[in-house]
Amino acid sequence: VVGDRCLQIWNCWNETQGSLVAAPCGTSGGYNFSEKCNSQNQKWNYTSDQQLILEMNGYCLDLYNFQGPAVWQCNRFSV
């Protein structure tokens, strides 16, 4: 969360390479699909192996092809 913005997956995309946007937290706002996703698209868990995992689908925050943030299958390794 930064200010009133939350990192969320675009349009409740439930597959890898889902795009991320910073949108108002909660269930209102132009690019906010939180209501459609039951807020699961804004909930992240930080793991002990330093990964951010999206609650909605279990995918990790990733820099896909170094082009920008997306969600992808988690790599289970120590950093």
Side-chain angles (χ1 to χ4, degrees), residues 1-74:
V1 176
V2 176
D4 68 339
R5 300 283 176 168
C6 287
L7 185 63
Q8 68 177 26
I9 193 151
W10 174 262
N11 199 20
C12 305
W13 188 261
N14 204 19
E15 297 182 27
T16 58
Q17 300 180 28
S19 298
L20 298 169
V21 294
C25 299
T27 58
S28 63
Y31 291 114
N32 194 336
F33 297 96
S34 187
E35 189 172 313
K36 177 180 174 184
C37 305
N38 197 26
S39 295
Q40 297 302 302
N41 66 328
Q42 292 183 341
K43 295 180 181 175
W44 298 84
N45 294 311
Y46 185 70
T47 66
S48 60
D49 55 349
Q50 301 177 344
Q51 294 181 319
L52 277 175
I53 299 177
L54 184 60
E55 231 176 73
M56 187 178 109
N57 56 20
Y59 290 140
C60 285
L61 178 64
D62 188 39
L63 290 176
Y64 176 69
N65 241 4
F66 298 98
Q67 296 176 5
V71 293
W72 200 258
Q73 295 172 340
C74 298

